[in-house]
Amino acid sequence: MTTICADKNQFAGTHGRSNRFKHDCFNAMGFEVLPIPLPFGDYCILTPQIEETIKRRGDRLKKQDLVADIKVCVDTKKNLDEITSNICSSSHSRFRDEVILSQKVGAKLYILVENKEGIKSIQDVFRYTSTRRLRWFKINKAHENGRMLNVPIPSKPPVSGEQLAKSMLTMQLKYGVEFVFCTPNEAGKRVIELLTQEG
């Protein structure tokens, strides 16, 4: 039976609850799931090299021990809001650093963005408008008309789909990361496909 290494954070709190369906899908497809600390991404296949590092380091295993061992990995995002936050907010530098680390060691990193909006490619993201952005414009218009003044909003609207898509394309070109998309129900199967595809 093939084993998928899953970052330990995928089992904690709300992550654990939201990822249960994905992990059940792995099991149903004949894959065991092994929780370990991963230096980047959420999932990779357990290779002999990774297995040797795990055995050698034992309880002392840390993220950095596996940096050079991972060749292909998938980082999952539960929705478009999460990837927007990763790319277009103060958490950008942490996300970018993980992407750069994977590039430096020659690992192929896929960012799998789950969504219910029918987004299947970065081209679709250009046309995407988040509910947060729609709400901001609605409240801002109400403020201009003297209504809903008790409802605070930021000075600028949330990021547009066009801004997000351009940022994704820039990261793909600059760092070699690849953004892919699927529905939440497809996520488990898609992770397996990305980790096991040839080439």
Side-chain angles (χ1 to χ4, degrees):
M1 184 179 274
T2 305
T3 300
I4 290 183
C5 298
D7 188 66
K8 281 185 171 182
N9 289 337
Q10 296 303 100
F11 299 87
T14 56
H15 272 308
R17 287 191 293 279
S18 64
N19 289 321
R20 190 171 297 130
F21 179 79
K22 209 166 11 222
H23 298 167
D24 287 346
C25 180
F26 296 162
N27 295 148
M29 292 176 71
F31 291 83
E32 288 185 300
V33 182
L34 175 66
I36 59 170
L38 294 178
F40 44 79
D42 295 325
Y43 302 101
C44 68
I45 295 289
L46 179 67
T47 62
Q49 194 174 4
I50 293 172
E51 195 167 14
E52 187 278 325
T53 302
I54 292 170
K55 284 178 181 171
R56 180 169 42 82
R57 294 290 293 155
D59 292 343
R60 295 169 297 139
L61 183 70
K62 294 194 173 8
K63 287 182 180 227
Q64 61 263 32
D65 296 327
L66 297 167
V67 168
D69 294 346
I70 298 170
K71 302 306 173 202
V72 180
C73 63
V74 177
D75 193 14
T76 54
K77 303 300 173 188
K78 65 183 176 183
N79 53 39
L80 287 151
D81 284 342
E82 184 178 3
I83 191 61
T84 301
S85 175
N86 288 158
I87 295 178
C88 305
S89 76
S90 57
S91 67
H92 172 73
S93 58
R94 182 196 61 77
F95 177 72
R96 184 196 59 214
D97 287 348
E98 283 192 14
V99 170
I100 290 172
L101 179 59
S102 69
Q103 182 190 41
K104 280 185 175 178
V105 298
K108 177 63 181 179
L109 175 60
Y110 294 98
I111 308 294
L112 180 62
V113 184
E114 300 174 33
N115 70 93
K116 297 177 181 177
E117 288 78 20
I119 305 291
K120 296 179 180 174
S121 69
I122 292 179
Q123 291 309 310
D124 292 338
V125 177
F126 275 96
R127 298 183 292 277
Y128 168 69
T129 303
S130 70
T131 52
R132 290 172 59 246
R133 186 171 170 85
L134 290 170
R135 183 176 182 274
W136 187 93
F137 282 107
K138 178 183 174 184
I139 295 170
N140 187 59
K141 183 146 185 74
H143 284 186
E144 289 172 357
N145 294 318
R147 295 180 290 110
M148 297 179 74
L149 298 175
N150 61 325
V151 181
I153 57 170
S155 58
K156 292 180 180 178
V159 172
S160 70
E162 184 177 357
Q163 289 171 289
L164 177 59
K166 284 180 178 176
S167 297
M168 286 178 168
L169 287 173
T170 298
M171 291 194 86
Q172 281 196 165
L173 288 169
K174 197 169 182 181
Y175 305 121
V177 63
E178 188 173 333
F179 291 92
V180 288
F181 304 83
C182 70
T183 66
N185 287 344
E186 298 168 330
K189 183 180 175 212
R190 199 73 184 96
V191 168
I192 300 294
E193 288 172 352
L194 293 169
L195 290 177
T196 59
Q197 65 189 353
E198 295 298 321

